[in-house]
Amino acid sequence: MAVTYTWVFDPLDVKLSDDGLTNVVYNVNWRLIGTDGVYSDDVYGVVGVPAPSSDAFTPYDQLTQEIVQGWVVDALGTEQVASYETSIAAQIALQQNPVDASLPPPWSQN
């Protein structure tokens, strides 16, 4: 199977009032989750959102996941997002085909 990636954005930090605008997002808490069957891994972080101009402002209740994801990808950069995806896929591959284990001492299994 292939790794499927899902973005989660929760919570969104807002300024309740800023320059005549309300609920202005200034930080996005994000998580990028990769899944492949029963295996999964994720990375997470926070990115700042530049202050909007009043003519380019999207009201909070009109924000979509696609808009917020665009902000996060723009802030991180496509190379960083690709690096995160590569890291997640590698961790899932290790779950599927482990190379290390923690075993109890052989004398304790009696």
Side-chain angles (χ1 to χ4, degrees):
M1 295 180 77
V3 177
T4 302
Y5 298 97
T6 305
W7 287 96
V8 176
F9 309 105
D10 187 27
L12 303 177
D13 298 329
V14 301
K15 293 186 185 288
L16 297 176
S17 180
D18 186 22
D19 200 24
L21 304 172
T22 58
N23 296 331
V24 178
V25 177
Y26 67 91
N27 275 338
V28 175
N29 294 273
W30 60 269
R31 182 177 300 272
L32 180 58
I33 304 166
T35 56
D36 185 353
V38 298
Y39 302 99
S40 67
D41 194 56
D42 66 347
V43 294
Y44 58 91
V46 178
V47 297
V49 177
S53 61
S54 58
D55 59 331
F57 177 70
T58 302
Y60 188 83
D61 62 353
Q62 294 176 22
L63 290 175
T64 63
Q65 179 157 339
E66 290 76 20
I67 291 170
V68 175
Q69 183 173 329
W71 293 345
V72 171
V73 171
D74 286 349
L76 294 173
T78 55
E79 287 182 17
Q80 184 62 55
V81 172
S83 176
Y84 286 145
E85 290 176 349
T86 299
S87 175
I88 289 170
Q91 291 303 311
I92 290 173
L94 281 174
Q95 292 172 33
Q96 294 167 329
N97 302 293
V99 295
D100 295 312
S102 295
L103 301 174
W107 61 88
S108 68
Q109 295 181 11
N110 295 336

